[in-house]
Amino acid sequence: MKIMLSAGEASGDLHGANLASALKKLEPSVELIGMGGSQMAAAGVDIRYDIKNLGFIGIGEIIKKIPFFFRLRSFLVKLMAEERPDALVCIDYPGFNMRLIKKAKAAGIPVIYYILPTIWAWQKGRGPVIAKYTDLAVSLFPFEADLYRAIGANVIYTGHPLLDTVRPALTKAASYAYFGLSADKPVVLLMPGSRMQEVTGLLPTMLEGAKLIAEAIPEVQFIMPRASTIDGGILRDLVAASGLAVHIGEDHTYDMMQISSAAVVASGTATLETALMAVPTLLVYRIGALSYALSKILVHIESIGLPNIIMGRRIIPELWQDEVTGENIAAAVVPLLQHETQRQTAVKALAAVRAEMGEGGSMERTAAAILRFIKEKSLDGTI
């Protein structure tokens, strides 16, 4: 059995790696190929295109790269034609993958979509495309599965994989020692994103905010994980230019989270990870002016943070666009470090997120569903 995977960013690389491991566990002989990153490669996927070369965000930015994406899609279409996988599994990255599934469908390759476009948040028109071109849709949330089912998609709900993966590997004491930090001083986690434009657009402002936090609380310590898609040299250069001491970690991200008193995080999956680790979090979000203007028309929700969407109310604060300033970042974070009662109130609100999301074991259920689908397709002669 051969399965082709298509993931386009760091979170997709993580989910793709966990899915690959689950597939290999259930079907050791399965051959996995496709587009992904270092984590998928480590999990046994034969990476034919490395996503470290990607990292574009925003409509205006992507428009400039249209020729590149056409070439990349043609490369993957050719790969499908040569390898004839038993199925294509697309993981998130809808701007690209939703075009790839059309090509796969035309080539007679069954399509599975994992981590679906968020039609409940924006771009509802993507729903009918998924229903038409996807043979099996795998949803992370029950309410999302209901929405896709209502528009005719063959959808199953398997739960959210982060429930199984978001946990520390070390004790708190070992984590402090591993990162060279003091357990007696507060720690602020900085997560500027997994795409280069996010990092260059957000990290300088995050560091400005961090300097103001340090002025208010001189003993504060800062730590930052490096996403697998980001060159560590760029992070070090930006930090060095700020003049601030920031420990840049290469691994053990969840161990960073467990010793953090607060976090400043770029909008995305990372906000759900910090919520599941009960770290009081400030979400920051900034994209190009054209992209933001269009998003104001297309977005259907008042909050963009996954914890807020899941809970139906704002349990973490959000700063958008021009609101993302050093002063505003410091104003949101300093009280969490100075007033333990306020921090514990935030921690208690975040604890409800895990309870709301249900049980673990989703990755095994997802892998089993994918293998069962492919085998059933093979038995009925479809592939």
Side-chain angles (χ1 to χ4, degrees), residues 6 76-77 80 88 96-104:
S6 176
L76 294 178
V77 169
M80 280 190 285
L88 169 69
F96 180 84
N97 277 332
M98 288 189 65
R99 290 168 175 81
L100 186 62
I101 64 175
K102 295 179 181 180
K103 296 292 186 180

Side-chain angles (χ1 to χ4, degrees), residues 85-265:
D86 295 298
L88 169 69
V89 178
C90 289
I91 304 170
D92 202 3
Y93 209 51
F96 180 84
N97 277 332
M98 288 189 65
R99 290 168 175 81
L100 186 62
I101 64 175
K102 295 179 181 180
K103 296 292 186 180
K105 192 77 169 178
I109 295 172
V111 174
I112 300 167
Y113 211 116
Y114 179 52
I115 308 182
L116 297 163
T118 54
I119 58 172
W120 36 269
W122 77 313
Q123 293 203 6
K124 292 181 180 179
R126 287 175 166 174
V129 177
I130 292 291
K132 181 177 180 179
Y133 293 99
T134 298
D135 297 284
L136 177 66
V138 183
S139 176
L140 305 185
F141 306 103
F143 71 88
E144 179 184 70
D146 290 340
L147 286 173
Y148 273 98
R149 194 170 292 114
I151 57 177
N154 178 30
V155 61
I156 59 172
Y157 163 64
T158 59
H160 205 294
L162 289 181
L163 290 170
D164 296 309
T165 59
V166 177
R167 57 172 59 93
L170 306 173
T171 64
K172 276 195 172 184
S175 295
Y176 282 112
Y178 184 82
F179 297 114
L181 299 176
S182 171
D184 300 324
K185 300 175 182 179
V187 177
V188 174
L189 177 70
L190 304 177
M191 299 188 72
S194 61
R195 305 168 186 170
M196 189 55 63
Q197 284 173 298
E198 286 178 320
V199 171
T200 56
L202 285 172
L203 184 53
T205 307
M206 283 187 176
L207 293 168
E208 288 174 13
K211 291 174 75 172
L212 293 174
I213 294 169
E215 288 178 10
I217 307 171
E219 69 271 21
V220 69
Q221 305 166 101
F222 297 98
I223 194 165
M224 178 169 55
R226 181 184 71 83
S228 61
T229 48
I230 301 299
D231 186 317
I234 292 173
L235 291 182
R236 289 188 290 272
D237 288 346
L238 288 170
V239 169
S242 75
L244 193 69
V246 179
H247 182 98
I248 299 174
E250 295 290 331
D251 54 13
H252 287 276
T253 299
Y254 299 139
D255 294 299
M256 294 186 198
M257 292 181 185
Q258 79 162 332
I259 60 173
S260 295
S261 307
V264 183
V265 184

